[in-house]
Amino acid sequence: MAKDKIAYVCSNCGQESTKWIGKCPNCGEWNTFKEIKVAGNTATSSILSSERFGGSAKQAAEMKPIRLKDIPYEDYPRIDLNDKELNRVLGGGLVPGSLILLGGEPGIGKSTLTLQTILNLPEYKILYVSGEESAHQLKMRARRLESRKEQSEKKDENVIILCETSLDKIIDHIQNVRPEIIIIDSIQTIHTDSVDSGPGSVSQVRECAATLLRISKSSGIPIILIGHINKEGTLAGPKILEHIVDTVIQFEGDQHYMYRILRSIKNRFGSTSELGIYEMRQDGLRQVNNPSEMLLAQDLSGLSGVAISSAIEGARPFLVETQALVSSAAYGTPQRAATGFDQRRLNMLLAVLEKRVGFKLMQKDVFINIAGGIRVTDLAMDLSIIAAVLSSNVDTPIEQGWCMAGEVGLSGEVRPVNRMEQRLAEAEKLGFTDIVIPRYNMQRIDKTKYNINLHPVRKVEEALRILFG
């Protein structure tokens, strides 16, 4: 019997060490290293030597080195999940034999998204392992997600619910049921007897995930793990598993808003630049095919402090409404607050406005909000942030039908941004008539392809002169 080894793992970033360290050298956090016992191969070897997984384990033991050019190339047939947003984030569908981690804050809608997806796959036998909810609770949620009872009963036929937290018993049920897709909700509740610690600990999560990875690779069954994280990301779960799983997708959004964003953080079978957008409703999550329409208000005429930016998040263009409020500081120190935007970059843009343009904002409060409750990291938002701040400061609205895209540098110059053609096409599709863009981007744009007026600028002063006269 293999002897257990002692290791130390940072619960914040997953950094490993042979001894305890007060400060993590990777993420810089203090007192995050936890002691774990690395169990021997007794549990997993018994699993792989079973009737179902024995063939693959034997083949793996007889594997020999092979030249790269001699390896046959074939594209894996993906499983269509009947969800355009989820298929886009996964890279085209679910790959057989893949291990996927779906992470997010508690209550964000991970279980709802997973259950809604498997109910739309009546042709596949699916094993749903629930360690948090009872079978009756899952039945109630499934009824809420379905509009018609007849359709629900037809879709529920191949969905098998298992309320179990013991990994050894779950493996026995997998061998008996022989499912085509497995859902584990959630990985923090699963435990194995080979590790002497409670469920949710670092050692339990790592051992259970490693065992499920071997099962997935040896049997070809795709497994989706659901993991909870808090706002700091310090819970032992997704951060520990990121290097084990094939794909990590993050489900995020403000619980007070109805929109959710699905991002791909790691994907061995596709791009990580895609994202999906959902709207949380009473009957489940609805796919948002055109996010620009949901992020724009119906009527912006006569409203100061509002600017529209043509942004790109991942590989997807959409128009975002930027709101700003500038008022006199009621206290000694002016307040700077940003929702959905980097506050440090806001401070930099306000310094550019004061130093390069000449607007004094030292004694004024500045509040920034990105409409819709989403968080945008595109640098092309800089121009709209400055325009919205100035519009609120002078209480002058921007004309309707205008949008902008451009990065602002420390010298007050408007720097070029990527994928300008996609930004122009999205703005033109939504009926915008004018757009302010960096002058450098004009070199690669064919004006005859667009029916929108282009206003190239080189400095922030030029953009503000065009917008406000």
Side-chain angles (χ1 to χ4, degrees), residues 216-390:
S216 176
K217 298 302 180 184
S218 59
S219 63
I221 303 175
I223 301 178
I224 299 178
L225 307 178
I226 297 178
H228 298 301
I229 61 173
N230 53 20
K231 292 184 179 180
E232 291 78 19
T234 56
L235 187 62
K239 287 296 180 182
I240 304 298
L241 301 180
E242 284 183 357
H243 68 284
I244 299 179
V245 300
D246 297 316
T247 303
V248 180
I249 51 180
Q250 187 88 5
F251 204 42
E252 58 187 36
D254 195 337
Q255 296 184 6
H256 301 288
Y257 290 89
M258 54 185 170
Y259 298 111
R260 304 286 188 267
I261 294 181
L262 190 66
R263 302 179 186 270
S264 177
I265 300 176
K266 170 188 175 182
N267 194 352
R268 291 174 178 167
F269 309 108
S271 174
T272 58
S273 60
E274 296 287 354
L275 79 160
I277 301 180
Y278 293 88
E279 179 186 3
M280 178 64 77
R281 309 174 73 177
Q282 183 65 26
D283 55 349
L285 292 163
R286 182 184 70 87
Q287 305 175 38
V288 178
N289 298 321
N290 190 359
S292 299
E293 294 181 354
M294 79 169 189
L295 296 175
L296 298 180
Q298 297 297 323
D299 187 11
L300 299 176
S301 59
L303 299 178
S304 63
V306 177
I308 306 300
S309 176
S310 182
I312 286 185
E313 194 69 14
R316 194 171 186 178
F318 54 89
L319 272 71
V320 182
E321 176 185 340
T322 304
Q323 302 173 348
L325 176 62
V326 180
S327 61
S328 299
Y331 304 99
T333 303
Q335 300 183 56
R336 303 284 189 264
T339 303
F341 190 76
D342 187 5
Q343 186 168 346
R344 290 177 297 180
R345 190 160 190 86
L346 171 62
N347 295 332
M348 184 270 289
L349 295 176
L350 295 179
V352 171
L353 262 179
E354 185 163 346
K355 179 72 175 180
R356 305 298 180 185
V357 187
F359 287 93
K360 303 300 180 182
L361 300 173
M362 293 179 59
Q363 301 300 324
K364 294 187 177 181
D365 297 334
V366 180
F367 304 95
I368 295 293
N369 177 51
I370 305 300
I374 67 171
R375 182 171 182 83
V376 183
T377 58
D378 189 8
L379 296 179
M381 294 283 297
D382 292 352
L383 204 55
S384 64
I385 294 290
I386 286 182
V389 169
L390 184 58

Side-chain angles (χ1 to χ4, degrees), residues 411-425:
S411 300
E413 78 278 11
V414 180
R415 304 177 61 84
V417 294
N418 59 350
R419 299 179 182 175
M420 182 55 70
E421 293 80 6
Q422 293 178 265
R423 303 175 193 268
L424 296 177

Side-chain angles (χ1 to χ4, degrees), residues 14-167:
Q15 177 75 19
E16 295 186 6
S17 175
T18 57
K19 60 181 181 179
W20 187 86
I21 304 176
K23 182 180 180 181
C24 178
N26 186 32
C27 63
E29 295 292 331
W30 287 87
N31 298 326
T32 56
F33 274 88
K34 307 295 182 182
E35 178 182 336
I36 65 170
K37 291 183 178 180
V38 182
N41 277 338
T42 55
T44 54
S45 61
S46 62
I47 296 170
L48 295 177
S49 62
S50 61
E51 179 182 356
R52 178 161 188 177
F53 310 111
S56 299
K58 184 178 180 181
Q59 293 176 3
E62 298 175 355
M63 191 67 67
K64 297 180 180 180
I66 185 173
R67 296 179 183 271
L68 180 61
K69 65 176 183 178
D70 297 334
I71 300 176
Y73 175 77
E74 55 181 12
D75 195 7
Y76 288 99
R78 296 176 181 260
I79 300 175
D80 186 7
L81 299 176
N82 297 326
D83 188 326
K84 293 182 180 179
E85 301 295 311
L86 187 55
N87 284 337
R88 179 190 293 113
V89 175
L90 291 176
L94 191 61
V95 177
S98 61
L99 186 63
I100 298 174
L101 175 63
L102 174 60
E105 298 178 13
I108 204 68
K110 302 182 297 300
S111 300
T112 301
L113 175 64
T114 307
L115 186 59
Q116 176 179 300
T117 302
I118 63 177
L119 288 176
N120 293 327
L121 301 173
E123 64 274 15
Y124 293 95
K125 181 184 290 188
I126 301 171
L127 178 62
Y128 191 103
V129 181
S130 176
E132 299 179 346
E133 298 178 292
S134 64
H136 182 67
Q137 289 175 314
L138 292 173
K139 184 66 174 182
M140 293 174 59
R141 177 178 294 174
R143 280 289 180 263
R144 191 182 75 247
L145 296 176
E146 291 295 332
S147 58
R148 298 180 182 178
K149 186 177 180 181
E150 297 82 12
Q151 293 181 356
S152 178
E153 291 177 352
K154 183 178 179 180
K155 293 181 179 180
D156 292 351
E157 186 175 354
N158 286 331
V159 178
I160 302 172
I161 303 297
L162 173 63
C163 298
E164 183 59 64
T165 58
S166 175
L167 181 62

